[in-house]
Amino acid sequence: MLPLDNKIDHTIDEFEIKGKQFYFKEMCNWNLNRSNYIKAWQSAFQRQDMEESLDWMLGTKLNKTYIIEDSDGIIVSAYSMLKNNCLINKNKIDIGLCNNVFCNKKYFRYKLFDRISHLSLNNSSDYFSFAYGFPNRLAIRGHQRVGWSLPDPIKLYSYQISKIHSRYNSKASSEIRELNSFDSNEAKFFCEKIAQVSREKAEESNNYRISKTSSYYNWRFFQRNILKDRDYYICYNDSAISFFSVYKTDPQLNILDIQWKNNSAFISMIFELINFIKTKSLPGFRFISRELFKLLELELPNLDINVIEQIPLIINEFNDSKAFNPQSINLSFSDYDVY
């Protein structure tokens, strides 16, 4: 976890609703707010776990978090934006992933969701060119009400290994390792490598492309708390690299992020993943990357493909520039915090 600077939260705005005073702040010190925030989060979501995951998600400089406190200093609402990067026609911009939005049920009739949304988005526009999010379906209407647009959903693809033709049993020249086997120097090397490949591909492209930094990859995969229900791996060769996870309770492989310099390196890595899946007796693999889908369809046409789910996507383009086309961007599981 990347610790936040030792700063004191500062009040950005204060307001009164139904005779009660509230204070809108940017949360600058996770350690100072940790206990108060976790209690508020657990109360809002009715969950009594997730402390380590919240340490990982909220205790990083990458995540900008806004809170509303009541007059007793209790957090009653929160709204976060996780920093990511995107290249649009080769120009780098900062973008924000909306995450961990909640309101205390005690203040249900105070419309704090609308209030914190407007305040947080207004302040976020000073730091990000646009924001995106993957809300649960019950929250979509509320996000639309405060200005988010709802483009076409993201397709969740599933490839079933049972249909693979025998000609795909070629010996792979890639390697797979579990992430917990890496020391800090190795982790740094692979994060820099995949970030470099991602950046090079983005610079070669003339449209929209997420281009994550090595710091983002390091936080996303190597600083994450240990989760009991899944293991994380890396598959790589000289010109391609992929992070993936394997769930234990409902065995499945999720390709979280995949970058390649050429198609032959990509195919080598897919062969190694197929061998891994067969060894582990997994049903196949899942992903959301449209770019990965197109190349698999081209190179491995006998794979049995299904769209098993439509994941809601919301977009908020600040300053109403209309320069961003959500249909042209390629998202992966690593671009949000769930998988």
Side-chain angles (χ1 to χ4, degrees):
M1 182 181 69
L2 298 173
L4 290 174
D5 293 336
N6 187 22
K7 297 178 181 178
I8 302 299
D9 305 338
H10 69 282
T11 300
I12 301 173
D13 192 15
E14 57 182 277
F15 52 92
E16 182 179 308
I17 302 177
K18 297 182 179 182
K20 292 187 177 293
Q21 197 73 16
F22 297 95
Y23 304 88
F24 175 71
K25 302 179 178 182
E26 179 182 346
M27 190 175 73
C28 299
N29 189 317
W30 170 242
N31 291 328
L32 184 65
N33 289 279
R34 182 182 185 276
S35 178
N36 194 2
Y37 183 98
I38 290 177
K39 288 179 182 177
W41 188 96
Q42 291 176 335
S43 174
F45 291 105
Q46 295 296 294
R47 297 183 62 173
Q48 298 304 311
D49 53 1
M50 299 293 289
E51 287 94 339
E52 291 183 347
S53 290
L54 290 172
D55 281 332
W56 167 71
M57 190 70 186
L58 279 298
T60 171
K61 292 180 181 179
L62 295 171
N63 214 359
K64 184 176 289 293
T65 297
Y66 300 100
I67 56 176
I68 291 178
E69 292 182 346
D70 64 13
S71 57
D72 295 321
I74 304 300
I75 295 175
V76 297
S77 188
Y79 205 106
S80 295
M81 286 284 184
L82 180 71
K83 180 183 176 182
N84 207 339
N85 297 117
C86 180
L87 270 71
I88 297 182
N89 298 324
K90 302 181 181 181
N91 296 315
K92 179 182 175 182
I93 62 172
D94 291 335
I95 61 178
L97 166 64
C98 182
N99 65 94
N100 287 289
V101 179
F102 66 84
C103 297
N104 191 314
K105 290 182 173 60
K106 175 182 176 182
Y107 295 102
F108 176 75
R109 297 186 181 277
Y110 286 68
K111 296 185 177 180
L112 289 181
F113 176 86
D114 290 23
R115 182 67 68 118
I116 196 169
S117 295
H118 286 302
L119 289 170
S120 299
L121 291 169
N122 182 61
N123 279 271
S124 295
S125 66
D126 294 333
Y127 303 97
F128 306 112
S129 295
F130 73 87
Y132 67 103
F134 301 92
N136 67 62
R137 298 181 189 279
L138 295 177
I140 291 175
R141 185 171 297 179
H143 286 294
Q144 288 181 291
R145 188 172 63 244
V146 297
W148 290 84
S149 62
L150 186 68
D152 291 340
I154 299 297
K155 293 179 180 178
L156 173 57
Y157 300 101
S158 174
Y159 275 89
Q160 298 302 309
I161 214 71
S162 60
K163 300 291 184 179
I164 293 180
H165 192 275
S166 60
R167 72 184 180 92
Y168 300 130
N169 290 330
S170 303
K171 180 176 176 60
S173 59
S174 299
E175 184 177 348
I176 289 178
R177 288 177 59 186
E178 195 167 354
L179 289 196
N180 61 18
S181 69
F182 286 76
D183 62 31
S184 59
N185 290 330
E186 290 177 310
K188 179 181 178 181
F189 170 81
F190 278 101
C191 289
E192 291 176 348
K193 178 179 178 179
I194 193 169
Q196 179 183 359
V197 176
S198 174
R199 183 173 61 253
E200 290 173 353
K201 291 184 70 177
E203 290 172 349
E204 293 172 358
S205 174
N206 289 319
N207 50 19
Y208 310 86
R209 191 175 189 87
I210 299 289
S211 179
K212 294 176 280 293
T213 64
S214 59
S215 295
Y216 183 100
Y217 279 116
N218 187 276
W219 165 79
R220 182 63 175 80
F221 295 111
F222 290 99
Q223 295 183 29
R224 177 152 202 168
N225 55 299
I226 296 175
L227 299 173
K228 295 179 180 179
D229 66 342
R230 74 199 73 169
D231 294 319
Y232 288 91
Y233 297 84
I234 188 170
C235 181
Y236 62 94
N237 56 49
D238 290 339
S239 300
I241 185 169
S242 175
F243 288 98
F244 67 92
S245 64
V246 176
Y247 279 39
K248 299 176 182 179
T249 53
D250 180 20
Q252 57 185 310
L253 188 152
N254 294 305
I255 296 179
L256 307 177
D257 200 291
I258 184 167
Q259 305 290 338
W260 63 90
K261 293 183 178 180
N262 54 68
N263 287 10
S264 59
F266 167 82
I267 293 300
S268 169
M269 192 163 55
I270 293 299
F271 283 166
E272 187 62 36
L273 285 173
I274 289 172
N275 291 336
F276 178 89
I277 288 168
K278 290 181 176 180
T279 300
K280 299 291 186 180
S281 299
L282 299 172
F285 56 86
R286 311 190 315 168
F287 61 93
I288 63 172
S289 167
R290 283 199 298 257
E291 184 180 42
L292 174 56
F293 162 69
K294 291 177 181 178
L295 191 54
L296 282 171
E297 194 174 42
L298 174 67
E299 298 286 353
L300 303 175
N302 287 344
L303 285 176
D304 183 25
I305 180 174
N306 290 289
V307 176
I308 60 174
E309 188 178 341
Q310 303 273 352
I311 302 174
L313 172 69
I314 54 174
I315 296 290
N316 196 314
E317 188 171 8
F318 301 125
N319 304 319
D320 198 31
S321 63
K322 304 299 183 185
F324 174 67
N325 180 2
Q327 301 308 314
S328 299
I329 199 165
N330 185 61
L331 294 164
S332 68
F333 280 135
S334 65
D335 294 314
Y336 68 114
D337 61 311
V338 175
Y339 287 85

